[in-house]
Amino acid sequence: MYIKDFEIWLLENDLQENELFNQSLKCYRVEAYKAAFLYSYLALIDHVKELIINYKGIPKNFKPTESDSKRKSKWKLKVQTLDNENTWEENTLNFIKENNPGNIFLIDDVIRNEFIQKKDIRNTCVHNKDREVTSTAVAELWYFIKYAYPLLVIDGSV
């Protein structure tokens, strides 16, 4: 995906003010692709975190065999794990990685596996591993963001 296409997508989705995406675009322009990847990845994971935190109620697939009162207290505890600044990213990814029928987003294995793959590239960026991260990796992440964003709906999307 070309940078202009991603900028258009950001505008169309009212994300042009998102600081993480803006930092990603700045880094991409100066060919700092690891940083560009990392900022875009964090913007995506932050979006998922906000969806979970702002969700009103208890997702249908969250511990459906337990009583409503148990489900509610366990849901609150699980959402509170997203408040920890040291573990929020991993805890957010755990919501995504959870297998069906417990996955609150009702996303299929292909999308969950793609998130895991993107996390591996994120680790390459953060830990300065030898693997090269190019403009193609960033563009592929942008394609994935464009594809996955509308599917990230608690209790599924139509």
Side-chain angles (χ1 to χ4, degrees):
M1 170 177 284
Y2 295 110
I3 191 170
K4 278 290 185 202
D5 295 331
F6 191 62
E7 288 174 321
I8 291 169
W9 182 83
L10 291 173
L11 283 169
E12 290 171 349
N13 289 277
D14 200 28
L15 295 168
Q16 68 276 9
E17 299 298 322
N18 183 298
E19 186 60 27
L20 292 168
F21 281 132
N22 285 332
Q23 289 297 320
S24 177
L25 294 170
K26 289 175 185 177
C27 291
Y28 187 89
R29 285 188 180 97
V30 297
E31 299 179 9
Y33 298 124
K34 285 182 178 180
F37 188 97
L38 182 59
Y39 279 121
S40 287
Y41 174 83
L42 285 174
L44 175 60
I45 296 299
D46 186 64
H47 170 67
V48 174
K49 178 186 83 165
E50 291 302 319
L51 289 173
I52 296 165
I53 288 173
N54 295 324
Y55 186 74
K56 305 295 183 217
I58 306 164
K60 290 182 238 174
N61 276 0
F62 183 76
K63 306 205 180 289
T65 59
E66 296 185 10
S67 71
D68 282 347
S69 61
K70 280 186 179 180
R71 288 177 68 221
K72 187 174 186 173
S73 65
K74 286 183 179 181
W75 175 250
K76 283 184 179 181
L77 286 173
K78 189 159 180 162
V79 171
Q80 286 175 353
T81 67
L82 304 179
D83 290 334
N84 184 316
E85 67 180 42
N86 296 316
T87 60
W88 74 268
E89 183 186 343
E90 188 62 37
N91 291 334
T92 301
L93 194 60
N94 288 338
F95 278 92
I96 296 166
K97 292 187 325 188
E98 198 164 338
N99 288 327
N100 287 324
N103 190 288
I104 63 170
F105 292 103
L106 304 176
I107 55 178
D108 62 26
D109 291 341
V110 172
I111 296 171
R112 277 201 314 275
N113 291 335
E114 185 88 8
F115 267 101
I116 293 167
Q117 179 202 26
K118 301 307 182 208
K119 171 76 186 289
D120 290 343
I121 298 171
R122 169 252 186 244
N123 288 345
T124 296
C125 298
V126 170
H127 301 294
N128 199 27
K129 297 187 179 181
D130 287 337
R131 177 182 173 179
E132 186 177 5
V133 177
T134 65
S135 63
T136 305
V138 178
E140 185 179 317
L141 174 60
W142 289 345
Y143 275 121
F144 177 67
I145 290 170
K146 184 177 176 182
Y147 170 72
Y149 234 74
L151 302 175
L152 294 169
V153 176
I154 294 178
D155 287 335
S157 60
V158 177

